[in-house]
Amino acid sequence: GQNIDQPTEMTATEGAIVQINCTYQTSGFNGLFWYQQHAGEAPTFLSYNVLDGLEEKGRFSSFLSRSKGYSYLLLKELQMKDSASYLCAPDYNYGQNFVFGPGTRLSVLP
Amino acid sequence: SQTIHQWPATLVQPVGSPLSLECTVEGTSNPNLYWYRQAAGRGLQLLFYSVGIGQISSEVPQNLSASRPQDRQFILSSKKLLLSDSGFYLCAWSVFGRGPESGANVLTFGAGSRLTVL
C-alpha cells in the first residue's frame, strides 16, 4: 500500500487554527489531494499540491514537502461548519487509481 | 457542466440477496470511473476502477463485481450479499490528466448509496 498516515481525530475551538498532517510513501508520487467529507455525505475536493510549499485558498491552506513525504492542511478561523473528516489522497498514477488515507475527524467546539 | 448520478440512495437487503448499484456520468467523455466503499466510521476503500469500457481493475478480493457496459455507466453488483457488505458506496469520476488546473484528475463523487444488509 501507500502507507498513508493521518491522525484519527482532532478537536479545536471556533475561531482557532488547526493543522492536519499527512505522511505518505514517496515512491512514484505525483501530487497530493485533500478532500473534505461531512458526516453522511460524499467527499468534496479541497486542494491539490504538486510543488513543494504552501498554497493558500481562503481560510484553507495546504502544504507539501515531496522529499519528506509530508503534507498538511491548515484551517484558519475555524467555523462550526468545518466539523468534518479530512481525507489525504496521494496521487501515484496521475489519477488512475486514487487511494485515500484513513481520514482525520475534526470537531469544532463553540 | 459534468454531473454524476448514483442510485438507489438507500437500500436494505437481506443476506444472500443480489445487489445492483448504478452510476452514470454526464457532460464528459471517457472518464475514469470508481467505486468506493466506506464502512461506518471508517475510511474510503477503493473497490474498483475503470479507465474505459470493459476495463475493470479490482483492488480487493470480495464477493462484489463491477461492469462498465457504456462509456459513462458503471455498475456495482453482487450475487449474494454478506452482512459485511453493509456500508456507504460511492461512485466517482475523473478525467485522466496531469493536474487539476483544467479540472483533470480531481475526483468528483456521486451522492452515495447507503446499503444495509440484514
Side-chain angles (χ1 to χ4, degrees), chain A residues 33 35 37 40-43 45 48 87 91 93-102 105, chain B residues 32 34 36 38 43-44 46 49 51 88 90 94 96-98 100 105-107 109-110 114:
Chain A
F33 291 87
Y35 282 78
Q37 185 180 23
E41 299 181 8
F45 169 76
Y48 179 72
L87 312 176
D91 178 11
N93 199 11
Y94 293 108
Q96 190 161 0
N97 56 329
F98 287 93
V99 177
F100 286 82
R105 185 182 304 176
Chain B
N32 298 326
Y34 307 81
Y36 287 87
Q38 189 172 38
L44 287 172
L46 178 61
Y49 71 93
V51 299
F88 190 41
L90 289 156
S94 72
F96 188 77
R98 300 224 162 199
N105 275 24
V106 175
L107 263 185
F109 288 86
R114 192 166 302 281

Side-chain angles (χ1 to χ4, degrees), chain A:
Chain A
Q2 282 78 18
N3 298 319
I4 306 166
D5 192 35
Q6 299 180 241
T8 304
E9 293 190 26
M10 299 184 72
T11 303
T13 305
E14 200 172 10
I17 299 173
V18 71
Q19 178 176 312
I20 301 174
N21 297 324
C22 172
T23 58
Y24 57 88
Q25 183 178 303
T26 58
S27 177
F29 174 80
N30 301 310
L32 189 134
F33 291 87
W34 283 97
Y35 282 78
Q36 179 190 59
Q37 185 180 23
H38 286 101
E41 299 181 8
T44 56
F45 169 76
L46 286 179
S47 66
Y48 179 72
N49 292 65
V50 64
L51 301 176
D52 284 351
L54 185 68
E55 293 199 9
E56 299 187 60
K57 193 186 293 185
R59 293 189 300 112
F60 292 9
S61 302
S62 53
F63 171 85
L64 180 68
S65 170
R66 298 179 66 98
S67 62
K68 294 182 180 178
Y70 169 67
S71 173
Y72 67 73
L73 183 68
L74 191 70
L75 291 75
K76 303 177 185 176
E77 301 170 17
L78 281 172
Q79 302 175 10
M80 299 296 289
K81 66 179 182 179
D82 298 329
S83 292
S85 289
Y86 291 86
L87 312 176
C88 166
D91 178 11
Y92 290 100
N93 199 11
Y94 293 108
Q96 190 161 0
N97 56 329
F98 287 93
V99 177
F100 286 82
T104 298
R105 185 182 304 176
L106 173 67
S107 300
V108 180
L109 305 178

Side-chain angles (χ1 to χ4, degrees), chain B residues 3 11 32 44 48-49 54 58 63 71 75 87 107:
Chain B
T3 56
L11 64 166
N32 298 326
L44 287 172
F48 301 95
Y49 71 93
S58 174
N63 69 322
D71 181 44
I75 298 171
L107 263 185

Side-chain angles (χ1 to χ4, degrees), chain B residues 35-38 43-48 60 62:
Chain B
W35 280 111
Y36 287 87
R37 176 171 61 199
Q38 189 172 38
L44 287 172
Q45 180 186 33
L46 178 61
L47 301 176
F48 301 95
V60 293
Q62 60 215 322

